[in-house]
Amino acid sequence: MFCRSSRLHFIGTWKARIEALMAQQQQQQPAPPAAVGRKIGVLGQQQQQGRGADNRTIVHLDMDCFFAAVAVVGRPEFVGKPLAVCHSNNEKGSAEVSSANYEARAFGIRAGRSMSEAKSRYPDLLVVPYEFDKYEEISEQVYRILLRHTPVIQPLSCDEAYMDLTGVTSDPQAVVAQIRADIQQTTGCTASAGEKMRVCNVTFSCCFGVGGLLKALH
């Protein structure tokens, strides 16, 4: 029971859950014409090897303060208040903050801070324990939304992914805006999208390899 309720167990199993969801969705929803016939590969590989440029529209999406944001869902009394997620609320303890919302970050409270330091920075800090069932539920909702727009997704974590919108639409920025709005409406959490990380060594888990230009969408 402890293992199934632990952060390490959640981290160790999220990928299998998301990959199973992706496989299920891809069986039910055929890939768009732009995705058919391409090979699994590495982002930027063709460009690095000097092959013809193949412009891609790659979007990096990241949920904002995910664990802390989930803690606020269904609890309107927490909105706008400094909040952190941690397994312990002991103001003298060494337990580390796992996630902190932007209100808490304004006081210098971030992931990795000890609870004693966090409480010294803001004594009235709201501390919420892990809620793995809610993380799993909302993570799945987010990925279902992404998969409605493209089957070509590289999961990076339960709350972060790359997606390829190449050929899916003539207006990727509008699609990204719609995805973010759908996520907020469905989950109550917000997401950011754009170029945030180097992607030349990321391998897509389905459909095709990606080479060429990264178009950052904000």
Side-chain angles (χ1 to χ4, degrees), residues 61-171:
L61 184 133
D62 189 11
M63 299 297 291
D64 301 326
C65 315
F66 184 56
F67 285 8
V70 171
V72 178
V73 173
R75 299 180 176 117
E77 68 275 16
F78 287 176
V79 174
K81 297 180 180 180
L83 178 149
V85 173
C86 183
H87 74 269
S88 172
N89 192 19
N90 185 348
E91 63 182 17
K92 297 182 180 179
S94 59
E96 293 185 351
V97 170
S98 176
S99 178
N101 64 7
Y102 290 119
E103 290 82 359
R105 292 182 186 186
F107 292 92
I109 300 169
R110 301 179 181 276
R113 298 279 191 194
S114 68
M115 185 50 58
S116 59
E117 183 177 356
K119 286 284 191 174
S120 70
R121 289 174 177 268
Y122 190 78
D124 294 328
L125 179 70
L126 294 172
V127 181
V128 179
Y130 292 115
E131 299 176 286
F132 298 110
D133 289 343
K134 287 181 70 175
Y135 307 151
E136 183 175 341
E137 177 185 1
I138 291 178
S139 174
E140 181 174 316
Q141 290 174 340
V142 170
Y143 272 95
R144 286 187 183 277
I145 291 170
L146 301 186
L147 288 164
R148 289 208 300 262
H149 294 274
T150 175
V152 189
I153 294 174
Q154 171 61 48
L156 300 177
S157 72
C158 64
D159 65 326
E160 182 181 9
Y162 285 113
M163 53 185 172
D164 190 330
L165 297 181
T166 306
V168 174
T169 174
S170 60
D171 190 353

Side-chain angles (χ1 to χ4, degrees), residues 187-216:
T187 71
C189 302
T190 59
S192 299
E195 181 186 1
K196 290 190 175 182
M197 301 172 60
R198 292 184 61 193
V199 297
C200 59
N201 292 322
V202 176
T203 303
F204 272 75
S205 60
C206 62
C207 293
F208 60 92
V210 180
L213 179 68
L214 171 68
K215 296 180 179 178

